[in-house]
């Protein structure tokens, strides 16, 4: 094992990596290249196109369908960074492995199409190098640049089981200014309150925790045969300001939406059914298949609900809406939490977190529900000033 293999795999599916294009995948699909487990082989398992292989395999090159002198696959790195080494594994490919490979990389903004990627400026990471069958090949890289995509070239054709792209992550600081609080997450209190279609899977899946593992982990609609589009409306955990959004189409390859639009509303400013009260957080924007899309949101208006329109239909894996609660939103969240605690737990928290004597803690717990900030202030009248300040801080309520 070489040292670079101890570094993160920048192309890992768990980090959002994906194979976005290949010129050929006749015998075995390109997505297999990034499967996390080691390749396996089951002899005498034949499909319509021959022995089923756990990897990416192209057809034998012939003049009648050649489009160049070699085959290739383009991989979107899940986390852009500096590549320190590449592993090209030909496991179980014995009579059908490529004679040589080479690896290139590029850096692009946004979420480009494969055609746009092809026109990028490509930098050589691994020169044309000999391969062996059924073997792991480790290639150290010494190029000090941050890349977003790599291209694996195989010469002239054949099969590769796995590709690993090890390196150091270089995050984009434009996305590091936002708080880590996901205002839409189910575990934080967000929920889908309405949706146009629930045919294949429930829309609340898009707010679920963790990474999607299969297409069924997301929300997928039936196929539309009209001029409309599908949508969801979600209530945020509390009133807040969104600073960036993730719209993730992971595992939706032939059924991802073509575009999406994200709108917000402050429920205090109008009813959810009032079209004029909604405003854009993200205008209608093109989406790529099998891709976690990250967008900065520059609108500073507070939001209590969002509407996500997908055009025309299809599936989404996850929706993340990062930002921060407004002061009144944070207070409402704190008061609701505290009002719903059992009396014994509320008393224990007031004693442990705020230093309230046991009898005073029981009195405050019994005075609930506070419902709003004014109710809390009234209940704290006459209380020790330090204890009162700690209670307000605990619940996110500003002094009166």
């Amino acid at each position: 094992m070489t040292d670079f293999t101890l570094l993160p795999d920048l192309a890992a599916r768990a980090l959002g990596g994906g194979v976005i294009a290949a010129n050929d995948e006749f015998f075995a699909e390109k997505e297999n290249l990034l499967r996390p487990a080691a390749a396996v082989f089951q002899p005498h398992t034949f499909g319509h196109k021959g022995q089923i292989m756990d990897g990416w395999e192209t057809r034998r090159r012939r003049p009648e369908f050649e489009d160049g002198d070699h085959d290739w696959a383009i991989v979107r790195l899940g986390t852009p960074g500096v590549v320190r080494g590449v592993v090209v594994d030909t496991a179980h490919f014995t009579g059908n492995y490529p004679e040589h490979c080479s690896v290139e990389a590029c850096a692009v903004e946004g979420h480009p199409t494969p055609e746009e990627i092809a026109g990028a400026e490509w930098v050589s990471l691994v020169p044309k190098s000999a391969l062996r069958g059924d073997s792991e090949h480790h290639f150290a890289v010494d190029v000090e640049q941050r890349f977003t995509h790599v291209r694996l070239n195989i010469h002239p054709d054949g099969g590769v089981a796995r590709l690993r792209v090890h390196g150091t992550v270089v995050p984009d600081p434009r996305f590091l200014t936002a708080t880590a609080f996901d205002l839409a997450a189910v575990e934080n209190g967000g929920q889908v309150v309405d949706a146009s279609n629930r045919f294949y899977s429930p829309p609340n899946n898009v707010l679920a925790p963790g990474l999607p593992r299969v297409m069924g982990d997301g929300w997928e609609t039936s196929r539309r045969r009209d001029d409309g589009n599908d949508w969801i409306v979600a209530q945020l955990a509390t009133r807040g300001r969104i600073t960036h959004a993730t719209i993730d189409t992971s595992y939706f390859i032939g059924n991802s939406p073509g575009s999406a639009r994200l709108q917000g509303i402050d429920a205090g400013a109008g009813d959810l059914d009032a079209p004029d009260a909604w405003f854009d957080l993200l205008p209608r924007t093109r989406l790529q298949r099998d891709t976690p899309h990250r967008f900065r949101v520059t609108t500073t208006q507070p939001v209590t609900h969002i509407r996500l329109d997908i055009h025309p239909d299809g599936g989404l894996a996850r929706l993340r809406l990062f930002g921060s609660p407004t002061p009144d939103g944070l207070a409402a969240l704190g008061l609701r939490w505290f009002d719903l605690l059992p009396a014994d737990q509320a008393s224990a928290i007031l004693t442990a977190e705020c230093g309230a004597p046991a009898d005073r803690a029981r009195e405050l717990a019994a005075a609930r529900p506070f419902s709003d900030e004014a109710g809390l202030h009234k209940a704290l009248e006459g209380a020790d000033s330090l204890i009162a300040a700690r209670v307000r801080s605990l619940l996110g309520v500003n002094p009166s």
Side-chain angles (χ1 to χ4, degrees):
M1 178 181 289
T2 48
D3 289 341
F4 69 73
T5 61
L6 301 177
L7 297 171
D9 179 5
L10 304 181
R13 288 291 307 187
L15 295 178
V19 187
I20 66 170
N23 72 311
D24 187 288
E25 49 183 332
F26 186 85
F27 286 114
E29 59 191 18
K30 61 186 183 300
E31 286 80 12
N32 288 336
L33 280 171
L34 302 187
R35 293 183 67 180
V40 298
F41 179 73
Q42 293 180 298
H44 309 298
T45 52
F46 288 91
H48 180 68
K49 296 180 180 180
Q51 170 69 42
I52 296 172
M53 297 296 293
D54 184 9
W56 167 52
E57 185 181 4
T58 68
R59 73 187 86 189
R60 302 186 189 213
R61 298 186 69 80
R62 297 289 187 266
E64 61 267 24
F65 49 72
E66 285 181 359
D67 57 358
D69 62 356
H70 68 276
D71 293 324
W72 52 265
I74 297 176
V75 174
R76 180 192 66 249
L77 300 181
T79 51
V82 178
V83 178
R84 300 301 186 190
V86 175
V87 177
V88 178
D89 185 0
T90 59
H92 310 298
F93 288 95
T94 54
N96 50 352
Y97 63 92
E99 289 185 317
H100 297 84
C101 78
S102 60
V103 181
E104 302 165 288
C106 71
V108 291
E109 281 283 295
H111 309 96
T113 65
E115 292 75 20
E116 291 165 342
I117 284 285
E121 182 178 348
W122 293 89
V123 176
S124 176
L125 300 184
V126 178
K128 189 173 180 179
S129 304
L131 297 178
R132 302 180 306 278
D134 196 25
S135 302
E136 271 193 10
H137 305 79
H138 293 213
F139 301 103
V141 174
D142 185 21
V143 179
E144 202 68 22
Q145 291 184 42
R146 178 185 186 269
F147 295 113
T148 59
H149 296 74
V150 299
R151 181 164 60 193
L152 171 64
N153 302 303
I154 57 174
H155 306 268
D157 54 38
V160 174
R162 297 290 187 267
L163 175 70
R164 305 292 186 238
V165 184
H166 296 278
T168 55
V169 175
V170 181
D172 186 337
R174 293 172 294 180
F175 290 95
L176 298 182
T177 57
T179 176
F181 187 75
D182 184 353
L183 290 163
V186 168
E187 67 263 39
N188 292 334
Q191 62 175 326
V192 172
V193 295
D194 200 4
S196 61
N197 189 290
R198 298 173 172 85
F199 188 85
Y200 285 110
S201 46
N204 261 317
N205 282 359
V206 299
L207 308 183
L211 295 170
R213 296 186 180 276
V214 294
M215 187 190 301
D217 284 350
W219 164 55
E220 184 182 1
T221 72
S222 56
R223 302 190 186 204
R224 297 190 71 94
R225 305 303 187 191
D226 56 27
D227 294 331
N229 70 278
D230 288 317
W231 50 267
I232 59 171
V233 173
Q235 179 179 334
L236 301 184
T238 190
R239 188 171 184 255
R241 292 182 172 86
I242 298 170
T243 53
H244 75 274
T246 298
I247 300 176
D248 188 354
T249 60
S250 289
Y251 297 103
F252 289 94
I253 297 177
N255 51 353
S256 59
S259 61
R261 179 188 186 189
L262 183 65
Q263 294 178 289
I265 191 173
D266 186 352
D271 186 81
L272 295 182
D273 295 327
D276 293 341
W278 291 89
F279 49 88
D280 271 352
L281 300 172
L282 179 71
R284 184 169 173 178
T285 302
R286 182 186 68 182
L287 299 181
Q288 302 296 335
R289 65 181 191 170
D290 192 28
T291 299
H293 305 76
R294 292 199 302 173
F295 303 103
R296 288 195 295 161
V297 176
T298 57
T299 302
T300 59
Q301 293 174 259
V303 176
T304 60
H305 297 73
I306 62 91
R307 175 184 169 112
L308 178 66
D309 286 272
I310 59 173
H311 297 271
D313 55 29
L316 292 179
R318 293 290 186 269
L319 173 67
R320 306 292 189 217
L321 301 174
F322 295 98
S324 57
T326 59
D328 62 315
L330 184 61
L333 199 65
L335 288 168
R336 181 172 183 269
W337 165 73
F338 193 69
D339 281 348
L340 292 173
L341 293 176
D344 288 349
Q345 185 182 8
S347 299
I349 289 173
L350 289 170
T351 298
E353 300 281 343
C354 306
D359 57 345
R360 183 60 176 138
R362 287 193 294 270
E363 289 176 8
L364 283 171
R368 300 172 304 152
F370 301 135
S371 301
D372 56 24
E373 296 181 53
L376 176 65
H377 294 319
K378 182 175 178 62
L380 291 173
E381 289 177 358
D384 178 273
S385 59
L386 180 58
I387 293 173
R390 288 173 175 170
V391 172
R392 293 189 179 100
S393 176
L394 174 69
L395 304 184
V397 175
N398 291 323
S400 56

